[in-house]
Amino acid sequence: MGGIMKVLFCSSEVVPFAKTGGLADVAGTLPPELANLGVNIKVVLPYYKSIDSKKFEIKKIDKDTSVAVIQNNVEVYFIENKRYFDRANLYQYNGVDYRDNLERFTYYCQQTLRLAKKIKFKPDIIHCNDWQSALIPIYLKTIYKDDAFFKKTKTVFTIHNLGYQGLFSKEDFSVTGLDYDVFSMEGLEFYGRINLLKGGLLFSDKITTVSSTYADEIQTPQFGCGLEGVLLKRKNDLSGILNGINCHDWDPTQNKTLTKNYGPDAIAGKYHNKIDLQKICKLKVSKNIPLLGIITRLADQKGLDILAEVIDKIVQMPIQFVLLGTGDPKYHKLFENIKNKYRNTSIHLSFDAKLAYKIYAGSDIFLMPSYYEPCGLGQLISLNFGTIPLVRKIGGLADTVVDYNPFTKQGNGFVFDNYQAGALLEAIKRALCVYNDSETWNKLVAGAMKCNFSWEKSAKEYNKLYKKLLSSKK
Ligand code: ADP
């Protein structure tokens, strides 16, 4: 390959235009970082009703295509179709998936390939994400197999959450426009249904997911969601590349929401934020009481069942406990109860971005006892804020948090292994023990803030993967 590498990045959600989860953050941040490394990259997503065309200066280029420009001059193309995308939400309404999702995202995938031709952008790589864009690599190896325009195009597929696979009834297979041969055990068939993610995994040239440990875990029955066999088959083409965080948004030296800015060389400012948080939360104001924070979706995935088992024991210790989260009603009830029982707790059952900054900055310890975690952002953000993460050794948490060793003084957090309430409690006791030695603790805080989880680093790894793929003979 000579000249500048061309990449078409396909994602069904992109920050700041449309977001339901972490995929949108990746799709809005990674392409500009790759552009910074000299990659010619364009992004494609559906033109949902919720996207404000005036606010983002989106310009129409023809009847069903529009374009906007984001950082580093990256162009984002919007595929328009009123029937499919002019509705309240991205994928579902009132918790129920739209019945025509297969048709909607088939349209998105087919139009994306047509768009590349229309704008004469011959991609070296098409990078697809999750089930919504999984038909693209399948089309390239079937319908477009002999198409001269895409002759040299390779595909990369990234799994952001294996739990969402794009499952549809086999009766609808004709919607995809694919030959029925592809609906087989070696293709899109999955226990009698269509599985788009499975197809994406089988037909892409390379597969990535959002951490190395999660890449290993999903090859096992415990975390493979039924696709472990497929992933094992593709294991030589599967790797993990850690997500980054937007360091500007989460920079304690600059963040305007904080009472006082601070950094690794001036951590005293962190304690002003702790006092501020205690005031907001109507907790006793004291620099010395260890403050444990947690910000999470209230879902089983997040380890709340083991936390529930020992929560009374935790809050009966000389600590303060602040929780911010929404989700499963059973956890709302549990934490409502804790709030009424203990005065050293402050429970916020809502989504509140501003309070999240305050908790990240004002807490001493950040809890993430997840059952599974593909990458996890909370631990990365808290490290940036010098708040020491206490996590379970799983997925992206295992790749980013190193258990503190009191003898070697190495590590940036506290880690426990077994998914058991006792193990969580033991890790909290260990953390509190270190907390009592303020000199050691302050070093831990300053060290945490020096960890680097920038997108720049992740973008370099994707760039390396693209180059390797393009130089391979296969
Ligand atoms: P997941 O994507 O599985 O929910 P992550 O740790 O990857 O978990 O990312 C969660 C992100 O959402 C973090 O940035 C966290 O701060 C934020 N968040 C979660 N719940 C809330 C809430 N109730 N209010 C504000 N921010 C929240």
Side-chain angles (χ1 to χ4, degrees):
M1 187 204 60
I4 294 171
M5 189 199 303
K6 292 201 197 95
V7 177
L8 194 62
F9 193 93
C10 308
S11 171
S12 59
E13 42 189 279
V14 179
V15 157
F17 307 106
K19 168 169 174 167
T20 69
L23 166 61
D25 293 304
V26 177
T29 324
L30 175 62
E33 287 291 346
L34 283 161
N36 214 13
L37 299 176
V39 177
N40 182 357
I41 185 162
K42 298 188 192 302
V43 182
V44 194
L45 89 154
Y47 203 160
Y48 303 107
K49 185 182 179 177
S50 56
I51 298 176
D52 186 338
S53 59
K54 287 212 178 64
K55 184 173 162 199
F56 297 119
E57 296 184 30
I58 299 174
K59 295 195 178 66
K60 220 167 161 61
I61 52 172
D62 65 26
K63 80 175 191 338
D64 45 25
T65 323
S66 300
V67 68
V69 178
I70 57 171
Q71 296 94 312
N72 297 339
N73 280 325
V74 171
E75 283 179 334
V76 177
Y77 284 84
F78 298 88
I79 308 268
E80 193 169 333
N81 182 306
K82 290 228 158 15
R83 182 153 73 95
Y84 293 138
F85 304 123
D86 209 24
R87 7 186 130 169
N89 301 310
L90 270 57
Y91 315 124
Q92 47 174 238
Y93 187 72
N94 271 346
V96 180
D97 286 346
Y98 289 128
R99 286 186 58 178
D100 57 352
N101 271 348
L102 180 61
E103 228 175 299
R104 297 172 75 226
F105 289 98
T106 293
Y107 181 81
Y108 163 68
C109 291
Q110 291 176 341
Q111 287 300 101
T112 297
L113 292 172
R114 288 187 192 120
L115 173 81
K117 287 190 173 184
K118 189 159 71 183
I119 61 171
K120 300 191 173 56
F121 187 73
K122 199 183 270 191
D124 297 296
I125 305 262
I126 301 187
H127 188 156
C128 298
N129 296 275
D130 284 352
W131 67 265
Q132 292 89 343
S133 49
L135 279 167
I136 292 172
I138 308 171
Y139 288 145
L140 285 180
K141 290 229 163 75
T142 54
I143 298 169
Y144 283 84
K145 176 160 83 355
D146 301 315
D147 191 298
F149 190 83
F150 293 111
K151 197 163 179 274
K152 292 193 176 148
T153 303
K154 304 270 187 183
T155 51
V156 174
F157 187 86
T158 299
I159 308 163
H160 298 264
N161 194 335
L162 198 63
Y164 300 90
Q165 303 186 349
L167 293 170
F168 300 97
S169 159
K170 68 174 178 198
E171 276 71 46
D172 293 334
F173 192 74
S174 62
V175 168
T176 63
L178 291 164
D179 197 294
Y180 274 89
D181 289 356
V182 188
F183 188 71
S184 68
M185 282 257 285
E186 290 72 41
L188 276 68
E189 193 270 339
F190 186 72
Y191 299 101
R193 301 173 80 194
I194 305 166
N195 186 326
L196 293 185
L197 187 76
K198 182 183 173 205
L201 299 178
L202 286 168
F203 284 80
S204 300
D205 296 309
K206 288 279 176 208
I207 304 166
T208 71
T209 187
V210 290
S211 70
S212 303
T213 297
Y214 192 60
D216 292 339
E217 287 165 353
I218 57 180
Q219 295 173 44
T220 67
Q222 196 183 0
F223 298 106
C225 303
L227 291 176
E228 57 277 9
V230 175
L231 288 158
L232 261 175
K233 193 168 147 188
R234 297 292 324 264
K235 71 174 188 196
N236 292 334
D237 294 309
L238 167 65
S239 60
I241 299 179
L242 207 62
N243 284 339
I245 51 170
N246 185 331
C247 293
H248 180 74
D249 275 3
W250 303 109
D251 179 0
T253 65
Q254 313 248 338
N255 193 292
K256 299 229 172 352
T257 328
L258 306 192
T259 317
K260 196 169 171 64
N261 290 112
Y262 61 96
D265 302 318
I267 60 166
K270 181 168 174 59
Y271 299 107
H272 288 268
N273 290 285
K274 178 170 176 179
I275 287 167
D276 184 39
L277 179 64
Q278 287 167 327
K279 285 182 184 159
I280 295 169
C281 294
K282 300 191 174 60
L283 294 167
K284 183 177 169 199
V285 173
S286 160
K287 192 177 155 250
N288 299 324
I289 304 174
L291 201 160
L292 276 57
I294 178 163
I295 304 172
T296 182
R297 282 187 291 119
L298 297 178
D300 288 336
Q301 179 205 330
K302 299 296 178 179
L304 298 164
D305 48 354
I306 60 167
L307 178 63
E309 271 184 57
V310 284
I311 187 76
D312 284 277
K313 285 192 180 136
I314 295 170
V315 298
Q316 282 165 9
M317 294 195 264
I319 61 131
Q320 294 174 333
F321 179 84
V322 177
L323 175 137
L324 171 63
T326 54
D328 194 329
K330 75 177 180 219
Y331 293 123
H332 279 239
K333 217 167 127 193
L334 168 86
F335 289 112
E336 199 66 66
N337 200 8
I338 291 293
K339 177 176 162 180
N340 296 332
K341 242 165 98 184
Y342 299 101
R343 290 186 59 196
N344 58 334
T345 67
S346 179
I347 308 292
H348 307 263
L349 300 171
S350 60
F351 191 95
D352 187 337
K354 201 170 161 204
L355 182 60
Y357 282 118
K358 301 268 183 198
I359 297 175
Y360 281 122
S363 304
D364 296 300
I365 296 167
F366 189 81
L367 301 179
M368 274 182 96
S370 305
Y371 176 66
Y372 79 92
E373 197 66 74
C375 174
L377 283 180
Q379 84 280 19
L380 306 182
I381 299 169
S382 43
L383 283 166
N384 245 34
F385 279 90
T387 302
I388 305 306
L390 188 153
V391 307
R392 179 160 176 253
K393 193 174 182 168
I394 196 80
L397 298 172
D399 293 350
T400 52
V401 184
V402 179
D403 194 33
Y404 178 73
N405 180 326
F407 302 105
T408 63
K409 309 226 185 280
Q410 300 289 306
N412 60 0
F414 295 90
V415 182
F416 67 97
D417 206 339
N418 292 336
Y419 192 67
Q420 281 165 358
L424 165 63
L425 190 62
E426 188 273 333
I428 292 178
K429 286 182 182 160
R430 253 183 330 116
L432 293 178
C433 212
V434 180
Y435 181 85
N436 286 334
D437 172 358
S438 59
E439 197 185 321
T440 304
W441 188 262
N442 286 343
K443 278 192 191 142
L444 194 57
V445 170
M449 294 177 83
K450 288 181 186 152
C451 297
N452 172 11
F453 295 107
S454 67
W455 268 111
E456 195 191 340
K457 205 163 156 182
S458 315
K460 279 184 184 153
E461 286 200 49
Y462 280 106
N463 196 22
K464 210 158 91 187
L465 177 83
Y466 294 161
K467 283 185 179 158
K468 197 169 139 197
L469 176 58
L470 293 179
S471 64
S472 69
K473 295 271 176 295
K474 231 185 355 170

